[in-house]
Amino acid sequence: MKKIIINVMCLIAVATPALCQQNIFGGKQVVSPEINADGSVTFRYASREAKDVKIDGDMLPLTKVETPFGMMDGYKPTEMHCGNDGVWTFTSSKLNPDLYSYHFVVDGLSLPDPANICQMRDGNSFTNTFLVSGDSCSLGYLYSVNDVCHGTISKVWYDSPSLKMRRRMTVYTPAGYEGNTDRYPVLYLLHGAGGDEDSWTTLGRAAQILDNLIAQGKALPMIVVMPNGNAQDQAAADYVPSAAVHTIGGGGLEGGVEPFEKSFADIMTFIESHYRVKAGKQNTAIAGLSMGGGHAMGISLLYPDRFDYVGLFSPAIFLGGQRPEELTADNAVSKTSVVSKLKRQFANAPKLYFFAIGRSDFLYKADSNFRSILLNNNLHFQYLETEGGHTWRNWRHYLTVFLPQLFKH
Amino acid sequence: MKKIIINVMCLIAVATPALCQQNIFGGKQVVSPEINADGSVTFRYASREAKDVKIDGDMLPLTKVETPFGMMDGYKPTEMHCGNDGVWTFTSSKLNPDLYSYHFVVDGLSLPDPANICQMRDGNSFTNTFLVSGDSCSLGYLYSVNDVCHGTISKVWYDSPSLKMRRRMTVYTPAGYEGNTDRYPVLYLLHGAGGDEDSWTTLGRAAQILDNLIAQGKALPMIVVMPNGNAQDQAAADYVPSAAVHTIGGGGLEGGVEPFEKSFADIMTFIESHYRVKAGKQNTAIAGLSMGGGHAMGISLLYPDRFDYVGLFSPAIFLGGQRPEELTADNAVSKTSVVSKLKRQFANAPKLYFFAIGRSDFLYKADSNFRSILLNNNLHFQYLETEGGHTWRNWRHYLTVFLPQLFKH
């Protein structure tokens, strides 16, 4: 009897495609993507009308693509081939366990894969994703929802008196938090330009990485706070559309401390009064990617006695308003000032100052100059250099390397 | 100097459209949708290649569309018109304050509006949305993120021993919860077939409705628990793709209590041990839409002394495996059994048994028969009949009517 009812509902769904009705039955006509036994992945797009269908994504072979700065690592959209059944297909090479992003390009138009419900917002655009899992040591496993205890992801609003607005952030509390009275160390984890408070828990896979590393005993249970680093915004642009005016700016220190960095005390005050966090710099970490790496650098300088663990992932660093490579004799005072602040921070002997970047990152040169400042002043840091560029693939990876080192000294 | 850096990053973003890179600059070329001063809304789609562009959505005039069951309320995709600038436009009539859903149909292909970042997953598909706000009494205001104190939305995992899996749910805690030690009443709020634990906080606007009604003093602060009602699933299909096998089933009672309803004690046990909820039926409510309305009916029958407040929004009700209109002499025993259970439930004098449906809902006839059972047995309920059908527009509205009545007796 139930089966008949379902069929009736199906007919209605087909007959009245009103958007606000529940989508009881998806329109999936082909399986895409399909992970094959040999580790390759097949993508399918059903269309008899399309004349040209390409696929673009980071599961394609990395190649050199031309940019205004010369040849850089990138991906070239690749032709899909149409079968007699009207289904366009493309099969990748064998892929490593990882998270991948892609979309179709149909007659020149970028389209999501209509057969893949996994779609993530990345700033102002959307991308399809798929996961290739692997053994428990693989990155693909760490990015997957496995059968382990899961922490909670919360969207929380806090008051920011210094920015004069209520603001939204994401907070990860580890499995068990709501059912006990323990206190936990805290990591502040910051996104990049174009991102927001949602970024680290979508393409960043922060919650999955934390759940899995904690379950494996490789990372300690911790609270992770992921605020919105765009100082003019209350929240992600899709959550508060009218209020969303993106600011883009790297970490600043002199002659204009960035508003977000100045407002960071509001975030720490809120977290310390609303969550059971362990006090003290030995229990407090800060990390970020790109603009957020600049923020993490700048905030840890502003509060040199607050963070024993600092992570800079492909950081966008400004020194006195200039990037490291732009420092001249005229603004050496700024550099001098930054060095003195860095020395003050390192006099507190942070337990980990972690710096990671990809060899083809467009910030590589600038970040090398900043690393030189650290090296020349005997300021000890841990350095990880990888393949690839300014990508979520690298930032997820860096997080898996950073987390197991926290709060264990 | 910063401006130059930004331009540099822009060039790179254009040159290497790698999907996993941060989308620093969106591709917005036109403004769409644009809410005009006269209350109409203009939609724009830029394409010189397209031959035919239509718009489909629930801001179009409601009209009768043909279905296998005769003419029913629905929307007809409407032509957009192309200007000399290659921009296709459509302007709606003046719209009431509300949340609207739409998409484009470009040469027969359903497409999201590339200029609108507001996109929500509705089960297995995606839809663009926009809000028309209004004065503080309007529905559009209640659905908006206004400058009021906001509660927290959490994605929480619980163990379900009876379903033998870890499962994900959404929990709303009212503003202030994390910063105090108060106890709160609790509403269990259930989604429909095709939905999941995300539904009520996306198209359902539950968090905004709660924030605004609580801020206005119209609803009491409460905890709202939104589990996944598909008993075979751990979580929404986009969150745990491999585990997602949707079950579709209305509320069942006899000869097969639905697994979700049987497992509901797992949810209540978890919530009572992990959240500061007030005990007692006077502090406990349950409501749901469509399948979730059936669940709310069935669960409140299974636990006749647990809920003083029950809300059935367009409920899909099965009685002994049959829908109300399918009861015959042969299965009267089932009906008799349900009636005796309803009488037992109502003997506990629930403070509110709320029943709402739209006049053009395809469940109208079946639900009328269930209401007859209530009426014929002098089981008191509150009845709300509205225009429209089986739509989120109605379910959001019903929630705004239901919430202010809770926990005030």
Side-chain angles (χ1 to χ4, degrees):
Chain A
M1 182 56 69
K2 192 179 295 177
K3 189 166 186 305
I4 292 173
I5 299 299
I6 291 172
N7 288 342
V8 165
M9 292 169 81
C10 181
L11 287 170
I12 294 207
V14 170
T16 61
L19 286 165
C20 62
Q21 293 211 358
Q22 282 201 295
N23 175 46
I24 297 173
F25 299 88
K28 185 188 285 191
Q29 298 170 328
V30 293
V31 175
S32 179
E34 182 175 15
I35 299 175
N36 304 309
D38 65 358
S40 65
V41 176
T42 298
F43 304 83
R44 297 183 178 88
Y45 180 78
S47 172
R48 292 193 177 278
E49 293 74 29
K51 293 180 184 63
D52 178 71
V53 181
K54 292 188 178 71
I55 186 166
D56 192 8
D58 59 5
M59 70 288 158
L60 296 172
L62 203 60
T63 183
K64 294 292 176 189
V65 294
E66 199 174 321
T67 80
F69 306 91
M71 302 302 281
M72 292 183 63
D73 287 351
Y75 306 96
K76 279 189 179 150
T78 300
E79 295 288 343
M80 299 178 74
H81 296 287
C82 191
N84 292 331
D85 54 357
V87 177
W88 300 73
T89 60
F90 169 79
T91 297
S92 75
S93 60
K94 180 180 187 313
L95 297 179
N96 291 325
D98 208 324
L99 179 76
Y100 296 87
S101 301
Y102 72 100
H103 65 225
F104 295 143
V105 185
V106 179
D107 295 334
L109 202 62
S110 291
L111 284 187
D113 180 348
N116 184 359
I117 196 175
C118 293
Q119 193 177 124
M120 291 182 188
R121 185 174 59 81
D122 185 14
N124 288 330
S125 67
F126 292 85
T127 181
N128 282 118
T129 62
F130 65 96
L131 265 161
V132 178
S133 197
D135 67 49
S136 63
C137 294
S138 69
L139 293 175
Y141 178 89
L142 293 181
Y143 304 158
S144 297
V145 178
N146 298 307
D147 191 22
V148 299
C149 294
H150 302 295
T152 295
I153 303 172
S154 297
K155 302 295 175 181
V156 181
W157 289 76
Y158 70 100
D159 273 332
S160 177
S162 68
L163 294 176
K164 297 186 177 59
M165 61 174 94
R166 305 178 207 271
R167 307 189 79 238
R168 189 168 175 255
M169 64 166 102
T170 301
V171 178
Y172 170 90
T173 45
Y177 179 87
E178 291 85 359
N180 68 36
T181 56
D182 297 349
R183 290 189 168 269
Y184 294 85
V186 60
L187 162 65
Y188 295 91
L189 186 59
L190 311 178
H191 64 80
D196 52 54
E197 74 274 20
D198 293 335
S199 303
W200 267 113
T201 50
T202 54
L203 283 164
R205 306 303 283 174
Q208 289 75 32
I209 293 169
L210 283 153
D211 284 351
N212 290 316
L213 287 177
I214 292 169
Q216 292 177 343
K218 291 177 180 164
L220 293 175
M222 66 184 82
I223 295 169
V224 182
V225 178
M226 293 158 274
N228 185 312
N230 308 303
Q232 293 184 21
D233 293 349
Q234 287 191 277
D238 70 331
Y239 201 80
V240 184
S242 58
V245 182
H246 281 294
T247 56
I248 295 180
L253 292 169
E254 308 294 317
V257 174
E258 293 290 326
F260 177 70
E261 286 151 296
K262 274 171 86 172
S263 80
F264 205 76
D266 299 340
I267 293 172
M268 293 191 285
T269 300
F270 177 86
I271 291 297
E272 287 162 10
S273 61
H274 287 70
Y275 290 85
R276 300 190 311 272
V277 296
K278 285 184 178 170
K281 72 197 258 283
Q282 71 274 25
N283 297 307
T284 314
I286 189 164
L289 70 90
S290 192
M291 175 182 84
H295 283 155
M297 190 277 259
I299 292 164
S300 66
L301 274 193
L302 276 177
Y303 303 96
D305 54 355
R306 291 296 298 260
F307 305 99
D308 250 351
Y309 303 87
V310 178
L312 312 185
F313 307 167
S314 321
I317 294 173
F318 294 80
L319 303 173
Q322 277 76 29
R323 304 185 59 79
E325 72 273 27
E326 293 151 358
L327 292 171
T328 65
D330 287 345
N331 54 35
V333 60
S334 299
K335 178 174 170 179
T336 306
S337 169
V338 168
V339 169
S340 72
K341 288 184 179 177
L342 279 166
K343 284 181 176 172
R344 193 179 69 191
Q345 179 182 1
F346 278 77
N348 288 332
K351 295 184 168 58
L352 175 66
Y353 200 88
F354 175 88
F355 197 113
I357 193 159
R359 266 183 286 276
S360 61
D361 194 311
F362 72 98
L363 293 177
Y364 187 86
K365 175 71 169 61
D367 281 353
S368 297
N369 291 332
F370 178 72
R371 281 188 285 117
S372 298
I373 293 174
L374 296 175
L375 285 168
N376 294 342
N377 290 280
N378 291 317
L379 306 174
H380 181 69
F381 63 99
Q382 186 182 103
Y383 181 56
L384 172 64
E385 187 173 298
T386 64
E387 296 298 321
H390 208 67
T391 66
W392 272 113
R393 176 167 297 161
N394 272 345
W395 301 322
R396 287 186 294 262
H397 175 204
Y398 301 160
L399 187 64
T400 70
V401 177
F402 184 65
L403 289 176
Q405 304 189 65
L406 300 184
F407 315 125
K408 290 184 176 173
H409 292 85
Chain B
M1 183 56 69
K2 193 179 293 175
K3 191 165 184 304
I4 292 175
I5 299 296
I6 290 173
N7 289 341
V8 166
M9 293 169 81
C10 182
L11 286 170
I12 295 210
V14 169
T16 61
L19 286 165
C20 60
Q21 293 211 359
Q22 281 200 294
N23 175 45
I24 296 174
F25 298 88
K28 186 187 287 192
Q29 299 170 328
V30 293
V31 174
S32 179
E34 182 175 16
I35 299 174
N36 303 310
D38 65 358
S40 65
V41 177
T42 298
F43 304 83
R44 296 183 180 88
Y45 180 78
S47 172
R48 292 192 178 279
E49 293 75 29
K51 293 178 184 65
D52 178 70
V53 181
K54 292 188 178 70
I55 187 166
D56 192 7
D58 60 4
M59 70 288 161
L60 296 171
L62 203 58
T63 182
K64 294 292 174 187
V65 295
E66 199 174 322
T67 78
F69 307 91
M71 302 303 280
M72 292 182 63
D73 287 352
Y75 306 96
K76 280 188 180 153
T78 299
E79 295 288 345
M80 298 178 74
H81 297 287
C82 191
N84 292 332
D85 53 358
V87 176
W88 300 72
T89 60
F90 169 79
T91 296
S92 75
S93 60
K94 180 180 188 314
L95 298 179
N96 291 325
D98 208 324
L99 178 76
Y100 296 87
S101 301
Y102 72 100
H103 63 225
F104 294 142
V105 185
V106 179
D107 295 334
L109 203 63
S110 290
L111 285 187
D113 180 348
N116 185 359
I117 197 177
C118 294
Q119 192 177 124
M120 292 182 188
R121 186 175 58 82
D122 185 14
N124 288 329
S125 67
F126 293 85
T127 181
N128 282 119
T129 62
F130 65 97
L131 265 160
V132 178
S133 197
D135 67 50
S136 64
C137 294
S138 69
L139 292 175
Y141 177 90
L142 293 181
Y143 304 157
S144 298
V145 178
N146 298 306
D147 192 21
V148 300
C149 294
H150 302 295
T152 295
I153 302 173
S154 298
K155 302 295 177 180
V156 181
W157 289 76
Y158 70 101
D159 273 330
S160 178
S162 67
L163 295 176
K164 298 186 177 57
M165 62 173 91
R166 305 178 207 271
R167 308 189 78 239
R168 189 168 175 255
M169 64 166 103
T170 302
V171 178
Y172 170 91
T173 45
Y177 179 87
E178 291 86 0
N180 67 36
T181 56
D182 296 349
R183 292 191 166 268
Y184 295 84
V186 61
L187 162 65
Y188 295 92
L189 185 60
L190 311 178
H191 64 80
D196 52 53
E197 74 273 20
D198 293 335
S199 303
W200 266 113
T201 50
T202 53
L203 283 164
R205 306 302 283 174
Q208 289 76 30
I209 294 169
L210 283 152
D211 284 351
N212 290 315
L213 287 176
I214 292 169
Q216 292 177 343
K218 291 178 180 164
L220 293 175
M222 65 184 83
I223 294 169
V224 182
V225 178
M226 294 158 273
N228 184 312
N230 308 302
Q232 294 183 21
D233 293 350
Q234 288 191 277
D238 70 332
Y239 201 81
V240 185
S242 58
V245 182
H246 280 296
T247 55
I248 296 179
L253 293 169
E254 310 293 318
V257 174
E258 293 289 328
F260 176 70
E261 287 152 295
K262 274 171 87 172
S263 79
F264 204 77
D266 299 339
I267 293 171
M268 292 191 286
T269 300
F270 177 87
I271 292 298
E272 287 162 9
S273 61
H274 287 70
Y275 289 86
R276 299 190 311 272
V277 296
K278 285 184 179 170
K281 71 198 260 285
Q282 72 275 23
N283 297 308
T284 314
I286 188 165
L289 71 89
S290 193
M291 175 183 84
H295 283 154
M297 190 279 257
I299 292 164
S300 66
L301 275 194
L302 276 177
Y303 302 96
D305 54 355
R306 292 294 300 262
F307 305 99
D308 251 352
Y309 303 87
V310 178
L312 312 184
F313 307 167
S314 322
I317 295 172
F318 295 81
L319 302 173
Q322 277 75 29
R323 301 185 61 80
E325 73 272 28
E326 292 150 0
L327 293 171
T328 64
D330 288 343
N331 54 37
V333 60
S334 299
K335 178 176 170 181
T336 305
S337 169
V338 168
V339 169
S340 71
K341 289 184 178 177
L342 280 166
K343 284 182 174 172
R344 194 180 70 191
Q345 179 183 359
F346 278 77
N348 288 332
K351 294 183 168 59
L352 176 66
Y353 200 89
F354 176 87
F355 198 113
I357 193 159
R359 267 184 284 277
S360 60
D361 194 310
F362 71 98
L363 293 177
Y364 187 87
K365 175 72 170 62
D367 281 353
S368 297
N369 290 333
F370 178 73
R371 281 188 284 118
S372 297
I373 293 172
L374 296 174
L375 285 169
N376 294 341
N377 289 280
N378 291 315
L379 305 175
H380 181 69
F381 62 100
Q382 185 181 105
Y383 182 56
L384 171 65
E385 187 172 300
T386 64
E387 296 299 321
H390 207 67
T391 65
W392 273 112
R393 177 166 297 161
N394 272 345
W395 302 323
R396 287 186 293 263
H397 175 203
Y398 301 161
L399 187 63
T400 69
V401 177
F402 183 65
L403 288 175
Q405 304 189 65
L406 299 184
F407 314 124
K408 291 185 175 172
H409 291 86

